[in-house]
Amino acid sequence: MGENKPIFKEDFLWGGGVAANQFEGAWDVDGKGVSQDDVVPFVDLKKATDIPVFDSRESIEKGLTDTVNTYPKRFGIDFYNTYESDLELFQEMGMNSFRTSIAWTRIFPNGDEETPNEAGLAFYDRLFDVCLERGIKPVVTISHYEMPINLVLNYGGWKNRKVLDFFVKFAQVVMERYKEKVEYWIIFNQMNSALTDAYLSLGLIKDEEEDIELAKFQSVHHQLVANAKVVQLGRNINPHFKMGSMNYEMQAYPATSKPEDVLNTVQSDHAQLYMSDVMIKGDYSPVMKRYFYENNIQLKTEAEDATVLKNNTIDFLAISYYLTTVRRAEMGNMLDKIEWNMDETTRNPHLETSEWGWQIDPIGLRIALDKLTIRYNGIPIMIAENGIGYRDVLTPDGKINDDYRIEYHREHVRQMQEAVLDGTNLIGYHPWAPIDIISAGTSEMEKRYGMIYVDQDNLGNGSKKRYRKESFYWFQKMIKTNGQELDF
Ligand code: BG6
């Protein structure tokens, strides 16, 4: 297919994606403050009888003083200390970009300080310098599930408009500091995960909210305004910046051809894409306005908001893509049951499922890219995450035969080729992850996504030595052909 004609752009970003809170470790050094994720303990879900609650004030406060449980996101894979040798491996793999996030708590440990923490800023200076020396462009997420716990406990998270100002200040500080080193900015990771994860996305403590739905919509509104303000600031700081933001993309299929199922599917797309509609089109969609009106959801807004949103839309849309879902009329309104397709009602019988219940669907990626391209008039799209969690085995001779991962990425890149030929303006692909890191959802190490293996278990035991997996070599060869050849 298209052997001779290049499919991907010459400057296509072949990278890998990670997040500070899942891999840097060093959670309490050089002035770093405590973040939301630092208080989430490891729980062996296989043995747990009840699904633990991590987002209550009680569990957070326990996390602040607990000396018994293990908190894996505190140690990550120690990248804070190993970044130079890890980046050497990334370069060897052929990566020309690296998506990571700046930990808010390294820069403003409590979120509400007047001045930033110089030691935190200096760390990212060093990190980005090493990236650039190795020909790797940093693609930087400003907010990735890691707000200072102080803003959760003492300000009520994103529903408080003050948090918007704190965040904009943080973003301004980092954009000014790294204006010569970073070109691509992803302001929010997966903003639409707010619909399902009010704690990590919005810093809300569910039990303390009188009306959690209203609190979520209000918080998202603040994130949308913050997003637009950061776009505006970024453009002033450096007109060459590429300002983007991110959604998770979970393509929905109707369970049957019954019109009611199809309608529910279309509506659920409107719900999943409501934040990107605002970020790209500059206003809430008619469908969302109608939903707010009919459900008596009254957002508190300020006079400037409409203009700020309208005038500061993003340059590119970043997406994560892992799985698809199934909708049927009985699921209720478009916002009901928008959750990762983890229960039987959303299962697709035509797809294979990973050990963690995630359904594998490369063709869904092409469908999603084509859909977004049409909906957003050809906006540049960056794949910021895509990967498969697997329990890899390290053989005694130091090998990891992860054919399943090669197969996974190969088939997704194949569908990216198709989408580009269909007209998608695709600018980059960042597998999650170039290296094994702690899982966001389950805080495990054993749910591995990397192309580089880290010898460490769920509790942080192990040599931490890095090993190249088979997928490392596949990715390396594929990048050398700029994604033209996939079968090695
Ligand atoms: C994405 C998040 O939703 O999924 C990442 O942005 C996360 O932070 C990734 O790691 C994979 O999820 P998990 O729970 O398997 O780590």
Side-chain angles (χ1 to χ4, degrees):
M1 179 193 111
E3 278 81 8
N4 303 318
K5 203 166 159 242
I7 298 174
F8 296 108
K9 295 169 194 297
E10 241 174 75
D11 58 355
F12 195 82
L13 301 172
W14 293 107
V18 290
N21 55 309
Q22 291 172 246
F23 90 136
E24 282 180 1
W27 74 293
D28 59 352
V29 307
D30 294 339
K32 183 183 172 298
V34 180
S35 83
Q36 286 161 301
D37 252 345
D38 293 330
V39 291
V40 176
F42 171 71
V43 172
D44 192 338
L45 292 171
K46 283 194 167 151
K47 293 188 193 146
T49 42
D50 294 317
I51 296 187
V53 176
F54 299 130
D55 56 357
S56 67
R57 184 170 290 266
E58 197 189 341
S59 72
I60 295 169
E61 281 175 350
K62 179 162 183 272
L64 291 171
T65 49
D66 191 6
T67 49
V68 177
N69 288 301
T70 304
Y71 292 80
K73 288 173 188 159
R74 295 181 182 180
F75 49 75
I77 57 162
D78 197 30
F79 181 81
Y80 194 79
N81 295 306
T82 59
Y83 66 93
E84 290 184 73
S85 47
D86 288 337
L87 279 161
E88 194 175 338
L89 284 169
F90 295 174
Q91 182 187 26
E92 183 188 328
M93 191 156 56
M95 283 167 50
N96 62 14
S97 73
F98 174 44
R99 177 197 170 213
T100 189
S101 62
I102 292 179
W104 189 347
T105 47
R106 289 201 193 283
I107 313 303
F108 289 98
N110 293 306
D112 56 0
E113 291 88 348
E114 278 300 310
T115 48
N117 170 33
E118 179 51 35
L121 287 166
F123 168 67
Y124 293 104
D125 265 323
R126 296 195 298 277
L127 173 61
F128 299 150
D129 285 344
V130 177
C131 287
L132 295 170
E133 278 158 24
R134 296 197 168 277
I136 297 174
K137 283 188 186 181
V139 171
V140 173
T141 316
I142 306 181
S143 170
H144 194 133
Y145 297 163
E146 184 273 335
M147 85 193 288
I149 202 68
N150 172 47
L151 300 185
V152 176
L153 293 176
N154 301 320
Y155 287 84
W158 272 94
K159 72 172 186 296
N160 185 337
R161 194 156 176 130
K162 281 189 193 151
V163 170
L164 184 167
D165 297 328
F166 295 142
F167 177 75
V168 171
K169 182 173 173 182
F170 158 55
Q172 180 170 10
V173 165
V174 297
M175 289 191 297
E176 271 167 1
R177 177 79 170 219
Y178 310 118
K179 63 173 184 268
E180 305 299 336
K181 302 181 186 185
V182 177
E183 181 187 359
Y184 286 90
W185 298 92
I186 297 175
I187 303 167
F188 284 96
N189 179 59
Q190 300 190 156
M191 204 200 271
N192 54 349
S193 61
L195 298 171
T196 51
D197 195 335
Y199 174 64
L200 278 189
S201 286
L202 304 170
L204 297 178
I205 299 179
K206 228 182 341 198
D207 300 349
E208 296 183 356
E209 297 299 337
E210 228 171 83
D211 181 344
I212 182 70
E213 290 309 308
L214 179 61
K216 276 196 213 170
F217 289 120
Q218 185 63 56
S219 303
V220 169
H221 179 73
H222 290 155
Q223 289 198 339
L224 287 167
V225 175
N227 189 78
K229 288 189 169 195
V230 173
V231 169
Q232 186 175 30
L233 278 168
R235 294 216 169 101
N236 291 335
I237 292 169
N238 183 345
H240 297 296
F241 277 175
K242 308 268 192 309
M243 302 302 302
S245 227
M246 185 172 157
N247 262 351
Y248 71 77
E249 172 52 52
M250 187 173 61
Q251 180 63 42
Y253 301 135
T256 72
S257 53
K258 210 164 62 172
E260 289 83 353
D261 286 349
V262 178
L263 177 65
N264 190 289
T265 309
V266 172
Q267 295 282 86
S268 91
D269 241 4
H270 287 309
Q272 280 196 55
L273 297 175
Y274 102 73
M275 291 88 162
S276 47
D277 283 349
V278 181
M279 294 188 289
I280 296 170
K281 297 180 175 177
D283 193 8
Y284 287 88
S285 66
V287 174
M288 275 321 283
K289 286 182 184 166
R290 177 178 174 186
Y291 182 87
F292 288 158
Y293 178 75
E294 289 179 353
N295 292 281
N296 198 24
I297 292 164
Q298 293 176 15
L299 300 182
K300 281 193 212 122
T301 60
E302 291 200 355
E304 60 167 3
D305 292 2
T307 321
V308 170
L309 292 175
K310 185 160 183 288
N311 292 342
N312 302 289
T313 54
I314 51 178
D315 299 320
F316 71 93
L317 176 67
I319 60 165
S320 62
Y321 177 82
Y322 293 92
L323 38 80
T324 49
T325 190
V326 169
R327 301 283 304 181
R328 53 187 93 236
E330 301 75 52
M331 284 174 169
N333 82 42
M334 63 183 192
L335 281 149
D336 286 339
K337 286 193 87 66
I338 295 221
E339 47 214 39
W340 289 38
N341 69 347
M342 292 302 154
D343 77 44
E344 286 315 310
T345 62
T346 58
R347 286 276 171 229
N348 185 332
H350 306 288
L351 300 175
E352 283 180 25
T353 305
S354 82
E355 185 187 329
W356 280 267
W358 296 29
Q359 292 202 289
I360 302 163
D361 184 6
I363 293 176
L365 177 58
R366 176 181 179 186
I367 298 171
L369 290 172
D370 286 3
K371 170 191 72 181
L372 294 170
T373 293
I374 294 167
R375 189 176 183 111
Y376 297 133
N377 210 10
I379 192 170
I381 299 177
M382 175 192 287
I383 298 176
E385 294 182 26
N386 169 240
I388 181 165
Y390 217 94
R391 212 175 284 281
D392 294 331
V393 178
L394 175 67
T395 62
D397 55 348
K399 297 217 164 29
I400 302 94
N401 298 314
D402 57 344
D403 296 352
Y404 37 86
R405 187 167 292 106
I406 295 175
E407 172 76 5
Y408 180 95
H409 287 289
R410 179 194 287 131
E411 293 316 308
H412 282 79
V413 177
R414 213 185 290 288
Q415 295 304 322
M416 283 159 44
Q417 293 182 333
E418 297 290 346
V420 170
L421 294 172
D422 290 342
T424 297
N425 184 358
L426 196 62
I427 59 173
Y429 181 58
H430 298 85
W432 188 270
I435 189 164
D436 293 341
I437 60 174
I438 310 290
S439 153
T442 63
S443 293
E444 294 167 275
M445 188 68 200
E446 280 172 12
K447 187 182 186 187
R448 295 172 184 273
Y449 286 87
M451 295 180 178
I452 298 165
Y453 185 92
V454 179
D455 178 29
Q456 175 180 312
D457 69 12
N458 286 332
L459 302 177
N461 305 310
S463 68
K464 316 242 175 340
K465 200 174 153 201
R466 276 57 167 157
Y467 295 86
R468 296 165 187 80
K469 302 185 191 177
E470 285 303 310
S471 54
F472 177 102
Y473 300 108
W474 176 83
F475 198 48
Q476 185 186 52
K477 286 188 210 146
M478 192 273 296
I479 294 174
K480 276 200 184 127
T481 74
N482 199 26
Q484 203 79 1
E485 304 289 329
L486 309 179
D487 298 304
F488 309 104

